[in-house]
Amino acid sequence: MTKVFYNHSCNICRKEIELYQKMPNDITWIDIQDERAKETKLDDDQLLRRLHVTEDGKLYKGAKAFLVLWSKLPKMRLFYLTLKQPIIYHLFAFFYEIAAYFLYLKNKYK
């Protein structure tokens, strides 16, 4: 079972997740404000900082979480196949961390 933990209060995060939710999938979508987010054993600050995905009991965060998510969505398969390539993945992860940090700062004080 795949679960995605995302920040529903972040406009950008919410819009992206809403796009994914419209695609056929069997993913459980959990807002980090939901009590079920406690199963990650992460504090609020850690949950705000990045996207988190659990699959088969394993927790993924950041760029790796996106790869897991995209691997489950047929319409995102090309992103998954492209961005999982080693050199491209490292660039993707680097730029994801920059974007995620600014989103974190933007949403931390809401």
Side-chain angles (χ1 to χ4, degrees):
M1 172 184 260
T2 303
K3 297 179 185 178
V4 174
F5 299 86
Y6 71 99
N7 183 1
H8 186 77
S9 67
C10 169
N11 293 335
I12 293 169
C13 307
R14 183 177 61 248
K15 292 292 183 194
E16 184 170 3
I17 294 299
E18 286 173 354
L19 177 72
Y20 299 149
Q21 288 173 324
K22 291 176 184 175
M23 297 176 189
N25 68 78
D26 61 352
I27 297 169
T28 301
W29 307 92
I30 301 172
D31 177 8
I32 60 171
Q33 302 301 317
D34 189 303
E35 283 293 310
R36 294 176 294 170
K38 289 182 179 177
E39 75 183 57
T40 64
K41 298 182 174 57
L42 299 173
D43 63 35
D44 291 343
D45 202 51
Q46 291 170 310
L47 285 167
L48 273 173
R49 184 66 182 81
R50 292 175 184 84
L51 178 78
H52 294 83
V53 172
T54 59
E55 183 176 53
D56 300 327
K58 187 171 180 183
L59 179 67
Y60 300 90
K61 61 184 177 180
K64 189 62 125 176
F66 269 102
L67 289 183
V68 173
L69 171 58
W70 291 337
S71 75
K72 303 296 177 193
L73 300 169
K75 290 184 178 180
M76 301 304 293
R77 187 97 174 126
L78 185 57
F79 275 111
Y80 167 70
L81 292 172
T82 302
L83 295 174
K84 77 174 192 167
Q85 301 306 311
I87 293 172
I88 297 171
Y89 172 76
H90 291 293
L91 289 171
F92 165 54
F94 175 77
F95 287 110
Y96 170 84
E97 287 299 322
I98 293 169
Y101 180 71
F102 284 107
L103 284 174
Y104 166 75
L105 292 177
K106 176 184 174 284
N107 291 295
K108 183 176 181 176
Y109 302 107
K110 277 191 173 185

